[in-house]
Amino acid sequence: MTVRSTLPDDARKVACEALQDTLVDLLGLSLVGKQAHWNVVGPRFRSIHLQLDEVVTTARDFADTVAERSAALGVPPDGRPETVAKAFTLPAPQEGWVRDTEAVQVMVDALREAVGRLRERIDATETADPVTQDLLIGITAELEKQRWMFDAENFPR
């Protein structure tokens, strides 16, 4: 190990598993957002197009923070394309053009699932590493805000 952790091994394992899983979700979420961004069509094209870039930026910024936290704990983060492709399971848009309402719904669903997983990781890291837990809480709050903003786009259904 190149970087030594300040955490005991068992706590570091819990924290870094939560961080790695979050990294995959965030990198995948940024790709989902970009795919929808490039292919969105419909009367709300411009506003959804711009809103998608906001969530992409958020996901990418948090991915960097999460990866650096893992590195600081002595575990190299793995954001390689093949790792993300193998482990990513959040909803994603279909291939080709995506109606604005469908793009919004995909983002609502992907963000909802990402938040649900983050809440599980928040619980898992509570005792193991409150610092990582705090990071995950902050990410959850922002992704919940993004989910709410997208969900409001298709109201009422």
Side-chain angles (χ1 to χ4, degrees):
M1 174 187 338
T2 305
V3 177
R4 292 188 185 178
S5 175
T6 56
L7 294 177
D9 286 346
D10 57 337
R12 183 183 62 152
K13 182 178 187 298
V14 169
C16 289
E17 283 178 6
L19 291 165
Q20 179 60 40
D21 292 344
T22 300
L23 179 63
V24 167
D25 281 353
L26 290 168
L27 291 173
L29 191 58
S30 74
L31 294 172
V32 166
K34 265 305 180 188
Q35 182 67 21
H37 168 87
W38 294 323
N39 291 292
V40 66
V41 294
R44 296 179 299 153
F45 163 80
R46 180 150 175 79
S47 64
I48 302 301
H49 182 78
L50 296 173
Q51 190 175 355
L52 287 162
D53 260 351
E54 289 175 21
V55 78
V56 167
T57 298
T58 297
R60 287 178 178 170
D61 289 347
F62 279 136
D64 189 53
T65 302
V66 163
E68 288 175 354
R69 176 71 185 152
S70 185
L73 293 178
V75 175
D78 188 355
R80 297 172 300 156
E82 59 269 25
T83 301
V84 175
K86 186 169 116 178
F88 183 75
T89 60
L90 293 176
Q94 64 189 22
E95 182 180 344
W97 304 120
V98 181
R99 293 288 308 169
D100 50 6
T101 54
E102 294 168 18
V104 166
Q105 193 58 54
V106 164
M107 292 311 299
V108 168
D109 294 343
L111 287 161
R112 180 182 299 115
E113 283 195 37
V115 164
R117 293 176 192 185
L118 277 162
R119 287 189 173 279
E120 292 172 7
R121 295 173 198 142
I122 287 167
D123 290 343
T125 56
E126 180 178 10
T127 302
D129 183 20
V131 175
T132 294
Q133 183 194 44
D134 184 60
L135 173 61
L136 298 177
I137 289 169
I139 294 168
T140 301
E142 180 59 30
L143 294 186
E144 283 180 331
K145 179 178 128 186
Q146 293 286 339
R147 190 215 51 82
W148 157 64
M149 294 172 89
F150 275 103
D151 204 24
E153 288 283 345
N154 280 347
F155 185 82
R157 286 193 183 89

